[in-house]
Amino acid sequence: RQPQTAHPVRTIRPLPDSFPIRLRSAKCTHEPAYSPAMRSLRLRRSPYLDPPMNWTSLALAVASVLCVSVARILFKQAAPSFCDMAAGWVARCLQPPLVAAIALHAVATALWLLALGRGRLVVIYSVMAASCFVAPMLAWVRLGEQPSARTWLGSALVLAGVAIAAR
């Protein structure tokens, strides 16, 4: 007769198919990585790990790009006052363009996280590269800076890469 334990013995059940990552069968032998037994060890991905791209995630990414680009212009406007050593530290840190730029960066980060939660990183991140075009455009319109022909050419190449990656 076997002694009874306070806790019943439980058997381990296999993971359900809805579990995000599940290993398929694999042998526990020491075989080269190119062997058929090692190739049978694969990760089955869940649709939750790689959501499909949709218009909402793309719109959130574009809004994030616009917020970051406007924040860069505000940082540029705040820089001369921030470098003025005659002003107090608190006055330099609490100037309106600087506070607005920091707030816009916070909003851009929230939009970025929302976009990542709804779309694919490879597309969302390439859209973020469009800020290399939007920021010089805003600097030209708002600050009167004249971007060189190389800046426009580089921006056009970045936008072409974004268009290729987003398809």
Side-chain angles (χ1 to χ4, degrees), residues 52-74:
M53 193 64 194
N54 57 32
W55 288 106
T56 305
S57 60
L58 194 60
L60 288 167
V62 169
S64 178
V65 166
L66 292 175
C67 286
V68 165
S69 299
V70 171
R72 288 177 182 170
I73 300 303
L74 290 171

Side-chain angles (χ1 to χ4, degrees), residues 86-167:
W89 181 253
V90 174
R92 289 189 293 168
C93 290
L94 293 180
Q95 58 178 311
L98 183 60
V99 173
I102 292 170
L104 269 176
H105 260 284
V107 169
T109 301
L111 292 171
W112 173 256
L113 290 172
L114 289 171
L116 286 177
R118 290 172 170 79
R120 296 179 9 199
L121 177 65
V122 293
V123 178
I124 303 292
Y125 195 73
S126 61
V127 170
M128 186 54 99
S131 67
C132 295
F133 175 76
V134 177
M137 179 72 75
L138 288 175
W140 180 42
V141 171
R142 180 83 173 129
L143 302 176
E145 294 183 0
Q146 289 290 8
S148 66
R150 286 195 287 183
T151 301
W152 291 122
L153 178 63
S155 297
L157 289 174
V158 167
L159 284 180
V162 168
I164 290 170
R167 289 188 178 244

Side-chain angles (χ1 to χ4, degrees), residues 10-32:
R10 294 183 185 186
T11 58
I12 298 176
R13 293 184 304 197
L15 294 173
D17 286 337
S18 62
F19 195 74
I21 297 176
R22 183 175 175 190
L23 295 176
R24 291 186 181 168
S25 63
K27 292 181 180 178
C28 293
T29 59
H30 297 287
E31 296 179 8

